[in-house]
Amino acid sequence: MSQLNTFKRHRRLRSSAFMRSLVRETHLRTEDFIFPMFVIEGENVKNEVPSMPGVYQLSLDLLLDEVREVYELGIKSVIFFGVISDKDEIGSEAFSDNGIIQEATRLVKKEFPDLLVVADTCLCEYTSHGHCGVIHNHDVDNDESLELLAKTAVSQAAAGADIIAPSNMMDGFVSVIREALDEAGYSNIPIMSYAVKYASAFYGPFRDAADSTPQFGDRKTYQMDPANRLEALREAESDVAEGADFLIVKPALSYLDVLREVRDNFNLPVVAYNVSGEYSMVKAAAQNGWIDEKALVLEKLTSMKRAGADLIISYFAKDVAKWLKENE
Ligand code: PBG
C-alpha cells in the first residue's frame, strides 16, 4: 500500500495489557498517599459524615483501629483534623497542649512511631465564627492570626507531629511558623504549605465533616480566586522563599493546569489535595450506579500525578491501597 510511512501506528503500543503496562508513563503507589482523618471529642463516637459516605468522625478511643488499618495497608502518612464543640473567638483549642489534635498525635505516634503524622495548622475548626484567623471589624486580622498559628504549629510539633501543614492562607504564615519551630527546637520538622489554596465550593462536604463553615461572609479575602493562574505562582514563590518544604495545590481536579505549572516552576515536592467535594461527587454517582467507581477514581488520581503531583492527600487513599494490592 502506498500510504506506507504516511501515518503513524500509535496503536502498536496499545496492543495488549502487557504492552500498555510496559509503556505506561504514570503510576500510582500506595506511598504517594496521605489519608485525612477527622478526630472528634467524646467516647465511642463513630459518625459517618452524611455528605462523605465511608468517611467518619472518630473519637480518640476508636482512632487507633482505623489508623492500624491504614498502616497495615502500607499508607505512610495521615493528616488530622479536629472536631470540637467548645469553640471561642480565637480558636484556643488549636494551640492547647491538650487539644484534640495534640492528643491524637501523641496517641498515634506512641503506637505507630514511624507513621508520619501531618498536622493541619489552622484555626477554623476551633473558632466560634468559623474563620481561619482572628476577626476584627468583620475581617480576618492577618498579623494577629500569625502569632496564634505559630503557637499552634509549635504545640503540634511538641505533641510529635512529623510535618506541619498550615492551611489558613494568611500572608507570611510560612516564615512565622518556620521561625517559631526553629526557636522551639524543631528545626528538623518540615512545613507542607497549602501554598495554592483556592476559595472553592469543592470544600463544602469538609465543612460538614469538620464543622468549620464560616458563620458570616466567606473566605475570599484570604483564599484565592479560582480564575487566577499567575497569582498561584506568586503564592508558591513566596512560600518557597519563606522556607516551605512541600507545596500543596488545592483543590486538585479543577486545577490540574495550576498543578503542572507549580511542578514546572519549583523544585519542591508538590502535593495535590483531592478535596472533599471531589470525593462526594464520585460517591454520589457511584451510589446511583452511574459510574464505575474504581475505574473513575484511579483515572482521576492518575491525572493528578500526570499533572505533576508527587503526593496526593485523598479520602480514597485506603480504597486505592486495596485496589493496588489486588492488582499485585
Ligand atoms: C481548613 C481546611 C479546609 C480544608 C482543609 N483544611 C477547609 C476550608 O478551607 O474551608 C478542605 C479540605 C477538603 O475539602 O477536603 N482551613
Side-chain angles (χ1 to χ4, degrees), residues 37-58:
M37 299 183 74
F38 298 97
V39 192
I40 191 167
E41 292 168 318
E43 254 176 64
N44 204 21
V45 186
K46 183 174 184 179
N47 295 335
E48 188 167 35
V49 179
S51 52
M52 300 179 76
V55 171
Y56 296 87
Q57 298 171 324
L58 294 169

Side-chain angles (χ1 to χ4, degrees), residues 81 120 122 124-125 132 167 194 197 202-203 206-207 219 223 250 273 275-276 315:
F81 298 98
D120 183 85
C122 197
C124 66
E125 293 128 58
C132 302
S167 65
Y194 285 75
K197 180 172 178 180
F202 284 97
Y203 307 152
F206 174 94
R207 293 179 188 170
R219 304 205 203 289
Q223 299 182 348
K250 176 186 175 191
Y273 198 139
V275 300
S276 56
Y315 306 97

Side-chain angles (χ1 to χ4, degrees), residues 231-249:
E231 190 182 357
L233 296 176
R234 295 199 293 275
E235 279 281 0
E237 195 177 9
S238 63
D239 282 12
V240 171
E242 291 177 31
D245 299 283
F246 299 80
L247 299 172
I248 301 179
V249 175

